[in-house]
Amino acid sequence: LLGGRDTKVRYATDFVPVGVPEAAVMQRARGAGRLAKVDMTLPKALSGLSDDVPRFWASVPYDRNASGGIKIGFVACGGGADAGRAAATFAIGLAVHAGERVAYVSCVQGQDWLSRCLEAEPTEGWTDVVGGGKPLDAALVQTPVPGLHYLPIGSGEHATPHPMADPGFAGLLDELAEDFRFVVVELPDLGAVPEGRVALGIVDAVELVARAGGSQKVELRGVAAAVKSGGARLLGAVLQG
């Protein structure tokens, strides 16, 4: 009875009512290996991602021999959930453990989690490409992770409405999907940036991100409903904390 009255997201079972199987909820793995053990040079901030299960790329069902890229969006369900960390970990896992070519696209206003770890301060990004001023290759940033490219939002981050509402954004993701096996998109909070709902009709699948004891079940239900109405597949979820 107490569990049924609890308004906060706390366990993997809390995702089941919104359509995410308990087995598809990724949580902290005790004793998980660190990326630092991989034979590569990574920034210190990227070397300790064991708490976000860097190997959870294995849960993504896809045909390795099929052509065309897969676009996956990460959406935070309020309560301090960090979609950027979850999305970046997922992208790094795909590049490191699966050996895939991955493009990471940030749609958040301000410095995102991955750029802080890379200590990168790019002044241009996909908004400059969509606006017609820059070629896509000039905006893509090669990261220290082999196979992983980073595409920041760029100079138009503070535009109103959010640049995701531009029809060119869908074409940009399609262009990336032609060159990269996975396109991982970090989406902003849908409550603060309603234009993010547009992206839910562009990506192929979505991962929900919630923080245990922080995210509210009503927030989880709202985001899950937006994903379903947008037409994307609800792939799974990440439970942080």
Side-chain angles (χ1 to χ4, degrees):
L1 288 174
L2 289 175
R5 293 174 60 87
D6 193 350
T7 62
K8 294 184 177 181
V9 178
R10 299 185 187 277
Y11 310 104
T13 52
D14 292 330
F15 292 88
V16 176
V18 301
V20 179
E22 185 177 351
V25 179
M26 306 302 164
Q27 303 179 70
R28 178 172 183 170
R30 296 182 181 277
R34 291 178 175 269
L35 284 175
K37 295 181 180 179
V38 180
D39 186 18
M40 65 170 65
T41 301
L42 288 175
K44 183 178 180 180
L46 295 180
S47 65
L49 294 176
S50 60
D51 58 338
D52 282 329
V53 197
R55 291 184 296 276
F56 73 14
W57 61 267
S59 69
V60 181
Y62 70 99
D63 182 358
R64 290 175 180 268
N65 298 317
S67 59
I70 301 173
K71 296 168 286 187
I72 303 178
F74 279 70
V75 185
C77 299
D82 191 346
R85 183 183 177 96
T89 303
F90 185 81
I92 292 170
L94 284 167
V96 173
H97 299 289
E100 299 285 6
R101 277 176 48 82
V102 184
Y104 183 94
V105 182
S106 174
C107 296
V108 299
Q109 296 171 316
Q111 195 174 32
D112 57 84
W113 187 86
L114 182 59
S115 66
R116 291 197 300 271
C117 290
L118 297 175
E119 298 182 350
E121 297 182 359
T123 57
E124 299 174 343
W126 62 262
T127 55
D128 302 288
V129 176
V130 171
K134 294 290 181 179
L136 179 56
D137 290 344
L140 276 170
V141 178
Q142 171 66 63
T143 73
V145 182
L148 177 63
H149 286 72
Y150 166 63
L151 185 59
I153 188 171
S155 59
E157 64 175 307
H158 298 300
T160 304
H162 193 284
M164 283 185 295
D166 191 315
F169 180 66
L172 174 80
L173 295 187
D174 288 338
E175 184 177 352
L176 287 171
E178 293 178 359
D179 296 329
F180 292 89
R181 192 68 178 92
F182 284 88
V183 180
V184 178
V185 186
E186 177 191 354
L187 298 174
D189 182 274
L190 299 184
V193 186
E195 293 89 347
R197 296 173 182 267
V198 175
L200 300 179
I202 300 174
V203 297
D204 301 308
V206 171
E207 285 269 343
L208 306 179
V209 183
R211 176 159 293 279
S215 299
Q216 298 287 331
K217 292 179 182 178
V218 65
E219 295 172 320
L220 179 63
R221 290 194 297 268
V223 174
V227 171
K228 293 176 182 178
S229 63
R233 174 184 174 186
L234 190 53
L235 184 65
V238 178
L239 183 59
Q240 298 173 325

